[in-house]
Amino acid sequence: MKKTLKYFSYFLILVISFILYELISVDGSYLNRSTITLDVNNVRNPQVKKIVRGADNLLAYLYFSVSKKKQREFYEVDIDYYNSLPDKIIVNPKLENLTIANGKSINNEKDWKRSHGNHLSNKFSNLKKINKDNINLLELAWVHTFEKKGIIPGNPIFFNGTIYLSSTNKSLLALDAINGKKKWEFKTDGVAARRGLLIHGEKNPKIYFCDQENLIALNAENGELVKKFGKKGKIKLKKYCQITPVIIDEKIIIATFEPSIETYDLNSGKLLWRFYLKEKTNEYFRYGGKRYDYSGGNPWGGISADVDRKILYVSTGNAGRFYEGTTRPGNNKYSNSLLAIDVENKKLLWEFQEISHDIWNYDIASPPILTSIKKNDKLIDVVVVPTKFGNTIVLDRKTGNNIFEYTNIKVPLSNVPGEKTSYYQKIFSLP
């Protein structure tokens, strides 16, 4: 009997040690997160994650069941306070310290080197050979047929007579723009360049893109992996990436579904730093016997860059569990937002959240557009993003201040137990 207990205790210690190993992550690359974290989201083994989540939820449920305070927090809504609030709050434009245009917000000419056009994501070309007067005269030049039926993901790019695009079946292609003939094809582990890719360099140009699982560098001429980048041309990612990278100086930057911003050395592929797109909370027993679970907020819509000022712009999606937020009380910072990150000084420059505590799936689904507008008789540089909610948000590029007036509209409370919706949401009347 003693021998059995002894072996059982050894086995129990081994199991606990393994679970702790899975829970603990040691990573010093984050700018805004502890080097050592103990979190169920760190768990890699799906069976261990299931066990840990189950135990965590059971503990939270028991705690909630005996705590009257936690039950009140969950069920009670301060109706009197809500009723005392004004129906709308007007937020005036903030037109001090405007970012004077530097003349770098230019459109595309003969090439389309990055999905969405360029690092500004302005999706616009100055070419005029095809126009409204002659478009009816166009004739079909050639057709390329893919081996498998399906959707062509992402926006193709064009450089030096070649079209680069993702296929319908996990590969990246290079096609001759004159005759449509395939120059090369590179097979990928996941969907190649699902929301975009870019080409960099005039001499010996290279293609950079994510295939969800990897960040990949290819020789644009022959489609071969750039061996000096990462591990023989690939960098295995912790979480999915399916948006177009940007390049600032000698850094290539991507956004992942952790969610995070990740910066790598353009030549070697060495990881330089990460910025975590969540604000962690320790309130794991707060609501309804379930652990605090703020998932989502992924930057799947895309990123853009002011290369001259070395600023990265990110649009983010809604928090997890699209239509239900009882496990994530609060505004869910960084979700449904537009963020600016100072790449040179490695810090958050500003943030602007459109939808607070989203339970309607109003993610910002497109990359920020960097452009210039005239205001107070001055040409200023701004960042613009259209949204699912019907807003067109225009902010100063360096300060994040709103260029146009908007109104915080008082919105109805939820009648779902434990759902603490935001009291206000933003409405822009202009532009």
Side-chain angles (χ1 to χ4, degrees):
M1 185 66 179
K2 286 183 178 180
K3 200 171 185 180
T4 303
L5 287 172
K6 182 180 178 182
Y7 286 130
F8 178 75
S9 63
Y10 287 157
F11 174 74
L12 193 61
I13 291 169
L14 188 64
V15 169
I16 293 171
S17 299
F18 180 68
I19 290 174
L20 283 172
Y21 168 76
E22 288 284 312
L23 285 168
I24 294 173
S25 173
V26 181
D27 191 335
S29 64
Y30 292 93
L31 301 179
N32 59 335
R33 193 180 182 189
S34 300
T35 299
I36 301 174
T37 58
L38 182 69
D39 195 307
V40 67
N41 293 316
N42 293 331
V43 177
R44 297 166 291 277
N45 185 294
Q47 297 304 319
V48 173
K49 182 173 284 191
K50 190 174 180 180
I51 292 169
V52 173
R53 280 195 182 277
D56 194 32
N57 283 332
L58 176 61
L59 185 61
Y61 174 76
L62 293 173
Y63 181 66
F64 176 77
S65 299
V66 299
S67 173
K68 300 299 181 184
K69 180 183 177 183
K70 292 298 176 185
Q71 291 172 25
R72 286 195 301 272
E73 285 179 356
F74 181 74
Y75 290 112
E76 291 181 0
V77 178
D78 194 342
I79 297 293
D80 291 336
Y81 176 71
Y82 171 78
N83 289 335
S84 71
L85 296 172
D87 290 337
K88 61 182 181 179
I89 301 171
I90 296 174
V91 180
N92 294 316
K94 299 176 182 176
L95 303 179
E96 304 83 21
N97 301 317
L98 294 174
T99 303
I100 304 301
N102 60 7
K104 300 296 179 67
S105 297
I106 56 175
N107 298 319
N108 304 284
E109 296 291 347
K110 62 177 183 176
D111 293 315
W112 194 268
K113 295 183 180 179
R114 182 177 181 267
S115 297
H116 311 298
N118 49 35
H119 283 96
L120 307 174
S121 299
N122 62 11
K123 308 176 187 177
F124 191 85
S125 172
N126 277 335
L127 297 179
K128 297 177 181 178
K129 190 172 182 179
I130 299 172
N131 54 64
K132 65 180 181 179
D133 296 322
N134 63 18
I135 193 168
N136 62 310
L137 302 176
L138 293 180
E139 294 180 357
L140 182 65
W142 51 262
V143 173
H144 175 84
T145 303
F146 293 96
E147 296 175 1
K148 181 182 178 181
K149 289 184 178 181
I151 296 171
I152 303 170
N155 175 219
I157 60 174
F158 173 81
F159 177 71
N160 199 23
T162 303
I163 299 169
Y164 302 91
L165 74 163
S166 45
S167 76
T168 57
N169 189 29
K170 294 184 178 180
S171 68
L172 195 77
L173 297 174
L175 304 178
D176 189 304
I178 301 298
N179 54 36
K181 289 183 179 180
K182 183 167 70 175
K183 291 185 174 183
W184 53 259
E185 182 172 8
F186 179 83
K187 295 291 185 180
T188 53
D189 296 332
V191 178
R194 184 165 183 175
R195 295 186 69 83
L197 68 159
L198 66 83
I199 190 166
H200 181 72
E202 295 295 327
K203 293 182 179 179
N204 303 315
K206 298 177 180 61
I207 299 285
Y208 296 93
F209 67 99
C210 293
D211 70 348
Q212 299 180 307
E213 301 173 19
N214 306 280
L215 173 59
I216 299 171
L218 300 179
N219 184 306
E221 295 296 325
N222 53 29
E224 294 180 357
L225 289 163
V226 178
K227 302 297 183 182
K228 293 181 179 180
F229 183 81
K231 192 174 182 180
K232 296 182 179 180
K234 292 185 179 182
I235 297 170
K236 184 70 175 175
L237 303 173
K238 284 175 61 177
K239 299 290 182 179
Y240 268 19
C241 166
Q242 54 188 40
I243 55 92
T244 314
V246 301
I247 293 173
I248 298 177
D249 291 339
E250 294 299 303
K251 303 177 183 70
I252 182 164
I253 304 168
I254 62 170
T256 75
F257 279 21
E258 185 171 14
S260 68
I261 298 300
E262 301 187 357
T263 302
Y264 296 86
D265 182 276
L266 181 63
N267 300 304
S268 68
K270 179 184 177 182
L271 176 64
L272 302 176
W273 51 265
R274 291 187 175 103
F275 184 88
Y276 191 53
L277 292 173
K278 285 183 186 175
E279 190 170 70
K280 297 294 289 182
T281 177
N282 293 318
E283 297 170 293
Y284 292 116
F285 299 97
R286 283 191 64 177
Y287 282 75
K290 295 181 181 178
R291 67 189 296 273
Y292 186 96
D293 188 12
Y294 167 25
S295 57
N298 294 317
W300 69 272
I303 58 178
S304 305
D306 185 329
V307 176
D308 189 63
R309 296 186 178 99
K310 300 177 177 54
I311 303 173
L312 179 76
Y313 296 89
V314 187
S315 54
T316 63
N318 46 263
R321 292 182 174 82
F322 299 166
Y323 306 115
E324 187 270 320
T326 58
T327 59
R328 49 176 173 84
N331 288 339
N332 307 140
K333 190 174 183 178
Y334 299 147
S335 65
N336 305 81
S337 296
L338 187 58
L339 302 98
I341 297 174
D342 182 335
V343 173
E344 186 172 35
N345 296 304
K346 298 188 288 188
K347 66 177 183 179
L348 180 69
L349 203 58
W350 53 259
E351 58 172 306
F352 184 91
Q353 186 176 52
E354 182 197 22
I355 305 293
S356 303
H357 191 81
D358 183 11
I359 54 171
W360 308 277
N361 195 21
Y362 280 134
D363 47 296
I364 298 180
S366 59
I369 299 167
L370 308 186
T371 187
S372 304
I373 65 170
K374 202 168 187 179
K375 196 70 176 174
N376 294 350
D377 293 323
K378 294 178 181 178
L379 196 63
I380 61 170
D381 281 346
V382 295
V383 53
V384 180
V385 65
T387 75
K388 283 185 178 181
F389 199 55
N391 291 321
T392 299
I393 301 170
V394 184
L395 306 176
D396 184 87
R397 222 184 276 185
K398 284 168 65 174
T399 65
N401 289 338
N402 53 299
I403 301 301
F404 296 97
E405 173 188 291
Y406 68 88
T407 305
N408 284 315
I409 300 290
K410 190 177 177 181
V411 293
L413 298 175
S414 173
N415 57 11
V416 174
E419 187 68 88
K420 302 296 193 297
T421 50
S422 178
Y423 296 151
Y424 291 95
Q425 298 295 349
K426 299 176 179 68
I427 296 288
F428 282 78
S429 57
L430 288 174

